[in-house]
């Protein structure tokens, strides 16, 4: 009896032990699940995705499968490495990790032709920027939506006279059926854009002016002065571009001549800028002035650093960044010191701003003291640093509302231009303009957020913002304030959507595909052969474990002897 009782106790104890071990393993799995996932997957946080865009006639950009795409990573460091991806590799589809210098239209067309073997593309930035230049835009930016057409300056239409962007390969206007990600390096991948999407911003402004939806009517515009690309002057020269077609009207020609003369006089007192006229008639470069001329004959000029083709070899590309316009800082400086360090580029741009400011003053009727107007290089250098180098700086923090401070990261601002919704950069530009042109007024936070309750204020005329303000003298707290300005946001939504003209060739019809979450991650898996071997070994271990467990359980009365009860003795 004692033996039977001992066998029962031992069997019960072993089952309890197994249950305890199973419970502990399950608990450990629940506790360590996130940790295991982190060890398997490596998220790529600093990425810039290619998205799908559509207009009335074309579909461009990239797309992924509904549930995402997975493929074997293959590094392509030279064009010969592509052979493995396109034909030789035994385990397609592949995700190509491409060196930035190889990201060309020619190579992308090869990938586009074998989409069944391509699951995606990750492009690393070339360091330094490609010496020969790189522009994924077209050679004739905004073609078809400017002022020149078969009925207005046909000799200038479709860039017949000048291909403004000769390095443009049109890669950004191709359609790819697989996802493409840019792997950002040190946050130096943001694009500096001029107006894009077929003049969507200026065409909307002209439309609103024509329909009484803008504070200024189109017929009230006397003249138009626009800054184009001005940061890459090879010398002191700044070129004045005008429209030869509108000047066939004698009145407009006289107004343009007066405008050019005023600019030349304004530049005479600025030694760092030499204004030049073009030696022969030629079309306007891509500019907002073209959309205004399309609606009305007005005098206008576009100031640019180039007389013919763009000096910018990285137009609308990932390399059109701070380094491209020589914005550099001495080594060893703190971020605050960099913010206030006046670069040579800032000095040159301040000279251009001085000329423009003096000319506008005179065109507005000012006669005295124009020589005292001087742009501040310190302000220019802060703008360059904030937009191109580090958005999270003391100046930008002081001019924004508290709820917008999360927009400021440790790198440059994202300059992707959304089709309809404002981007982070849009808000920062608005508040920078408010800071530079507005006025600090003595209102409480509640009054500033609802100025209609203050009899002396006019909410219809001004925009009011409660901003964080600068740090106090101890640099412990900020001194918030109310800023009143005329800087407002205006919708850049194409009039084609309001007019429901989906096939319009008069207005841009760009739309962006909908997406909820865009992310990329990498994980390591074994080869097919090793996976099969691992499965077989695991299956063998499982069978062996089951056999051993069965044998132990069958012989438990022999292997596990119950301890004797105290005081009991067997004879």
């Amino acid at each position: 009896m004692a033996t039977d009782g001992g066998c029962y106790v031992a069997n019960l104890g072993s089952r309890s032990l197994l249950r305890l071990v199973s419970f502990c393993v399950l608990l450990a799995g629940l506790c360590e699940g996130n940790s295991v996932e982190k060890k398997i997957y490596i998220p790529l946080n600093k990425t810039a995705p290619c998205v799908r865009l559509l207009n009335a006639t074309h579909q461009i950009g990239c797309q992924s499968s509904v549930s995402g795409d997975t493929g074997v990573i293959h590094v392509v460091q030279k064009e010969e490495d592509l052979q493995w991806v396109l034909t030789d590799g035994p385990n397609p589809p592949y995700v190509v990790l491409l060196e930035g210098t190889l990201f060309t239209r020619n190579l992308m067309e090869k990938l586009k032709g074998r989409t069944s073997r391509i699951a995606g593309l990750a492009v690393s930035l070339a360091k330094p920027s490609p010496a020969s230049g790189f522009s994924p835009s077209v050679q004739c930016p905004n073609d078809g939506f400017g002022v020149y057409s078969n009925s207005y300056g046909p000799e200038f239409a479709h860039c017949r006279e000048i291909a403004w962007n000769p390095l443009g390969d049109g890669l950004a206007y191709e359609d790819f059926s697989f996802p493409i990600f840019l792997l950002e390096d040190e946050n130096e991948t943001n694009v500096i854009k001029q107006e894009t999407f077929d003049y969507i911003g200026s065409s909307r402004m002209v439309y609103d002016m024509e329909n009484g939806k803008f504070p200024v009517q189109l017929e009230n515009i006397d003249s138009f002065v626009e800054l184009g690309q001005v940061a890459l002057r090879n010398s002191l020269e700044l070129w004045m571009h005008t429209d030869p077609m509108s000047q066939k009207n004698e009145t407009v020609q006289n107004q343009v001549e007066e405008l050019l003369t005023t600019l030349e006089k304004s530049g005479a007192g600025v030694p760092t800028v030499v204004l030049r006229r073009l030696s022969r008639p030629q079309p306007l470069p891509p500019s907002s002035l073209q959309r205004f001329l399309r609606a009305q004959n007005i005098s206008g000029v576009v100031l640019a650093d180039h007389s013919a083709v763009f000096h910018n070899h990285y137009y609308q590309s990932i390399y059109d960044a701070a380094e491209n316009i020589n914005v550099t800082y001495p080594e060893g400086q703190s971020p605050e010191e960099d913010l206030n360090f006046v670069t040579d580029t800032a000095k040159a741009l301040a000279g251009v701003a001085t000329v423009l400011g003096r000319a506008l003053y005179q065109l507005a009727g000012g006669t005295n003291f124009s020589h005292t107007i001087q742009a501040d290089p310190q302000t220019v250098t802060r703008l360059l640093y904030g937009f191109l180098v580090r958005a999270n700086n003391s100046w930008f923090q002081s001019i924004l509302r508290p709820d917008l401070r999360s927009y400021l990261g440790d790198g440059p601002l994202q300059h992707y231009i959304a089709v309809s919704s404002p981007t982070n950069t849009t808000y920062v530009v608005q508040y920078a303009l408010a800071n530079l042109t507005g006025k600090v007024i003595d209102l409480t936070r509640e009054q500033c957020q609802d100025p209609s309750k203050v009899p002396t204020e006019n909410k219809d005329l001004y925009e009011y913002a409660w901003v964080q303000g600068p740090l106090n003298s101890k640099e412990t707290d900020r001194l918030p304030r109310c800023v009143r300005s005329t800087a407002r946001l205006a919708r850049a939504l194409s009039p084609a959507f309001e007019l429901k003209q989906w096939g319009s060739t008069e207005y841009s019809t760009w739309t962006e595909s909908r997406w909820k979450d865009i992310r990329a991650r990498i994980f390591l898996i074994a080869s097919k052969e090793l996976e099969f071997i691992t499965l077989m070994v695991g299956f063998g271990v499982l069978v062996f474990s089951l056999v051993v467990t069965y044998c132990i359980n069958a012989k438990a009365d022999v292997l596990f002897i119950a301890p004797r009860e105290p005081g009991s003795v067997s004879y």
Side-chain angles (χ1 to χ4, degrees), residues 146-149 152-156 224 240-249 252-253 256 259-260 278 280-285 287 289-290 292-294 296-302:
V147 67
Y148 303 111
S149 64
Y152 186 96
E155 65 272 29
F156 302 137
F224 197 107
M240 299 183 291
H241 295 262
T242 58
D243 171 44
M245 300 303 298
S246 60
Q247 292 184 71
K248 291 181 179 180
N249 180 299
V252 174
Q253 183 182 23
V256 170
L259 185 58
L260 298 180
L278 298 172
R280 62 184 180 87
Q282 67 179 45
L284 285 169
S287 54
L289 176 57
Q290 292 202 32
F292 282 82
L293 285 171
R294 194 161 169 156
Q296 179 176 302
N297 237 7
I298 59 176
S299 62
V301 61
V302 177

Side-chain angles (χ1 to χ4, degrees), residues 325-356:
I325 59 173
N326 301 315
V327 175
T328 56
Y329 302 89
E331 300 232 351
Q333 290 191 161
S334 67
E336 191 66 22
E337 290 172 329
D338 285 346
L339 172 66
N340 295 294
F341 178 80
V342 180
T343 62
D344 291 338
T345 301
K347 295 175 184 176
L349 290 176
V352 174
T354 298
V355 173
L356 183 61

Side-chain angles (χ1 to χ4, degrees), residues 184-197:
E184 297 187 2
D185 181 17
E186 299 176 354
N187 292 314
E188 296 175 353
T189 64
N190 293 301
V191 179
I192 308 166
K193 293 188 176 180
Q194 290 79 26
E195 186 174 19
T196 189
F197 290 132

